[in-house]
Amino acid sequence: CRDPPVTPSHLTIGLAAMRQEADRGHSGLGGAATPTAEQVEAFGRALEAELAPILRSLELRPKSALVRVLLPSLAACSAGLEKWERLAGAWPLEERRLTQTQQAVAFAGAS
């Protein structure tokens, strides 16, 4: 990438929309169970574990973190314990806006 955005990793995966739904305990489309916060965190760890070796083999420059998974919790962000980051995959609820991912998770039951 000629002029990459300033991020501390080569790949940022935003799972905030999934985490928001898990924190709120909403059920998916047709009453399907929404993953728990623990399952979303485990999914993030699995993505990082699987993708890091692939990216490592590409010998990317500059040297920086290969994979970063963002999944801020609603409670931690509301309490000021976590910072909401760009590329998290969701707008904070107080913004009263939704990304397409948030819409898909909340209204179409995507997970």
Side-chain angles (χ1 to χ4, degrees):
C1 188
R2 278 198 125 155
D3 190 19
V6 179
T7 60
S9 61
H10 287 285
L11 174 63
T12 300
I13 302 169
L15 299 180
M18 288 177 70
R19 178 61 189 261
Q20 281 181 351
E21 289 302 298
D23 286 348
R24 294 193 303 191
H26 290 173
S27 61
L29 189 64
T34 298
T36 65
E38 293 78 20
Q39 289 171 318
V40 175
E41 290 170 6
F43 180 57
R45 287 190 301 273
L47 285 172
E48 189 171 0
E50 292 294 322
L51 294 171
I54 295 166
L55 293 176
R56 191 173 299 112
S57 72
L58 299 176
E59 299 178 10
L60 299 169
R61 302 273 181 222
K63 290 287 185 192
S64 63
L66 294 172
V67 180
R68 183 171 63 126
V69 177
L70 302 178
L71 42 99
S73 76
L74 291 174
C77 287
S78 296
L81 302 174
E82 275 186 75
K83 183 180 90 174
W84 202 270
E85 294 190 56
R86 186 173 70 79
L87 303 176
W91 283 96
L93 295 179
E94 59 271 10
E95 292 289 330
R96 299 180 54 91
R97 298 178 69 183
L98 297 174
T99 64
Q100 288 180 334
T101 304
Q102 282 172 293
Q103 292 175 46
V105 170
F107 304 114
S111 63

